[in-house]
Structures are given as structure tokens and as C-alpha cells.
Amino acid sequence: MSEKTWVLLVAGSQSWDNYRHQANVCCTYQLFKKQGIPDEQIVVMMYDNISENSNNPFPGSIRSVVDQTNVHKSVPHDYTGKKVNSKNFLAVLRGDDSAGGKIIRSGSNDNILIYMSGEGNNGNFKFPEDSLTAHQFTTTINTMSENKKYSKMAIFMDSDNSKSVFTGLYDNICVYAVASCDSNNQNKSVQNDTDRGIYLSDQFSAAWLTFISTADIKKATFSKLFNYIKSKGNSCPSAFGDQEISKLLIGDFLRVGGCSDCA
């Protein structure tokens, strides 16, 4: 049977002041695309109202925190506007056509990586239209494990109180999770862009994006990525779940040979 790795990217906000969340997702898309993940295996959910926002002095552009380039170009418009909600997110993740668009059609041999950037509070990740509760999130993943809908899963969530959104996740279901903040802490915005009057990223995501863009993923493990994030001043990230996955090389998990443009 074929083995694929699916990627689900989510920006949970829509305001200009939260520019960084959509910028984080666009930059992550570009990096995974560069590593060789095809568009048909990447699902992007973001409101997509930043690049052409009336506040944007550079129409059509979203700036990368990594190299200052425009990362909005060519990003798929899989779910935008009011379609960016918790119901569609869960449907996409479990492979339910009720989402009305591209979904993760994973099987027992496939890996899934989820990256989420946004706001949250205790037990919730906020979407523009509603909130994803810890119960909804973990019940979906627990059920996917029971139904053999994946081989391994890695989740990176960057939001306030993000660790609390994993409350109820079963042990021993081949899921490795990294939360930017524990249940009592909030995120920190970084890289103030005076031209735009916003922040380009968050402390956690800036480190995540820098590592993915510069490391040799054929030699770097998820554990090394987590330690790098902590070394960049992130005082409250948490890594939990299947620690055997943390020992995997990122390239092996993604099932790619590395950055095609790297020397």
C-alpha cells in the first residue's frame, strides 16, 4: 500500500492586528512545499483577508518572518472566509466530504502533520467563526486512531493556553504533540514590522519556521526541533504524547528527501 504524509495548516484569526497567524501558515506552506509535499496532500485553512487588506501598504503580499519574502503567492485557497471553522476543520481531519472541499484521505499507513496558529483560551482554539474545544479535538483524534486513519501524527499548536486543548487525548495512539504554551500562559508576538504596523510572527512559530527553513531535515529529529524552540526564549512550550515519534527524523516522518533547492 502507498504511504503518504498529509499536512493540515490552520490560521485561526481574521483581523489585521493578527496578521502573524496567516503569515505563519503561509510561510509553513511554502517550506513544506519546498520540501516536496505536493499540494494534493496539503490542506490550508485561513481567512485570506490580509494580503488585500486596506491596511496593507504592500497589496498582494504577506511577509515572511524568515526571509522577508512574499509567502502569500501560490498558497492554495482550500478553505477561506467563513469556511474556516471548527466543523470544517474536524471534517477535513477525519476525511469527511461534508467539509465541501479538499480533505485528508488518509489510511493506516499514512502520517499526518497539523500546524495551527491563532488565539485560544483554556480548553479552546479559536476560529474566526467559532471555537474548537478540547473535547471535540481529542475525541476526533482518538476515534481516528481506533479506526486506523493514520500511522503517526504530529501536532504543533501555537496559541494561548494551547496545552489545554489536548486534554482528553488518549495515550499510546501514536500522536506526538507540541503546544506553544501550557495551560496558564499566553503567547508572545515577535518581529515588529513598522511598515505594516503589525508583528510578523509569534515567538514559538518564529523559531519553528526558522528551524524548518534552515535545518537538514534528513538529519534533524522532532526532539531537536523542540529543543531549538525552547532555546529561543520560549519558556512554556510543552511536548507530550508518543516520545518515539520525537526521535524520528523529520524528513522520514514527512517522507521526503530534503529540500530540493538546498546545496
Side-chain angles (χ1 to χ4, degrees):
M1 296 179 66
S2 63
E3 297 179 343
K4 296 180 179 179
T5 294
W6 300 82
V7 176
L8 176 53
L9 308 177
V10 179
S13 67
Q14 62 166 312
S15 71
W16 174 255
D17 289 343
N18 285 323
Y19 180 107
R20 63 194 183 277
H21 300 144
Q22 294 188 51
N24 290 336
V25 161
C26 287
C27 193
T28 301
Y29 164 79
Q30 299 293 352
L31 292 174
F32 283 134
K33 179 72 173 178
K34 192 175 183 180
Q35 295 289 356
I37 305 292
D39 275 349
E40 56 265 27
Q41 291 167 219
I42 304 175
V43 182
V44 179
M45 302 185 75
M46 68 175 192
Y47 214 85
D48 199 32
N49 61 339
I50 296 300
S51 68
E52 300 296 341
N53 193 287
S54 60
N55 292 305
N56 193 350
F58 307 96
S61 173
I62 294 180
R63 194 174 192 180
S64 165
V65 69
V66 174
D67 58 12
Q68 316 308 307
T69 58
N70 177 15
V71 289
H72 183 257
K73 185 178 180 180
S74 77
V75 174
H77 295 71
D78 295 319
Y79 295 86
T80 60
K82 293 186 177 182
K83 293 181 180 179
V84 181
N85 57 59
S86 64
K87 180 180 178 180
N88 282 341
F89 167 77
L90 294 172
V92 168
L93 179 57
R94 65 177 181 261
D96 187 339
D97 283 314
S98 68
K102 190 192 300 182
I103 59 174
I104 295 177
R105 299 186 184 278
S106 58
S108 60
N109 294 319
D110 294 345
N111 293 340
I112 299 173
L113 185 143
I114 304 170
Y115 169 77
M116 306 173 73
S117 176
E119 298 182 301
N121 52 35
N122 194 27
N124 291 272
F125 178 90
K126 295 182 180 179
F127 280 80
E129 303 297 323
D130 59 3
S131 292
L132 173 72
T133 69
H135 177 74
Q136 291 171 321
F137 189 42
T138 59
T139 298
T140 296
I141 296 172
N142 294 338
T143 301
M144 288 176 66
S145 174
E146 293 171 355
N147 293 336
K148 303 186 185 305
K149 294 287 288 184
Y150 64 90
S151 175
K152 300 176 182 67
M153 185 182 297
I155 308 169
F156 293 81
M157 183 180 292
D158 189 3
S159 69
D160 299 337
N161 313 115
S162 46
K163 185 178 180 180
S164 66
V165 186
F166 294 91
T167 302
L169 190 68
Y170 290 167
D171 295 327
N172 304 316
I173 59 171
C174 297
V175 174
Y176 173 68
V178 177
S180 63
C181 296
D182 62 28
S183 300
N184 301 308
N185 283 283
Q186 295 184 329
N187 237 339
K188 181 180 179 180
S189 304
V190 296
Q191 295 288 328
N192 184 29
D193 186 319
T194 56
D195 292 333
R196 294 167 173 80
I198 48 79
Y199 288 93
L200 292 178
S201 191
D202 303 281
Q203 194 173 42
F204 176 94
S205 286
W208 146 271
L209 291 166
T210 299
F211 186 91
I212 296 296
S213 67
T214 58
D216 182 352
I217 65 168
K218 293 179 290 185
K219 299 178 180 179
T221 63
F222 282 117
S223 178
K224 186 174 182 179
L225 166 58
F226 177 74
N227 290 333
Y228 179 85
I229 291 171
K230 288 190 69 175
S231 76
K232 294 303 176 180
N234 288 268
S235 60
C236 59
S238 300
F240 47 96
D242 191 337
Q243 294 304 307
E244 290 304 309
I245 296 177
S246 75
K247 300 174 186 176
L248 290 179
L249 298 176
I250 299 171
D252 287 348
F253 181 92
L254 295 176
R255 293 171 172 143
V256 297
C259 173
S260 59
D261 295 336
C262 294

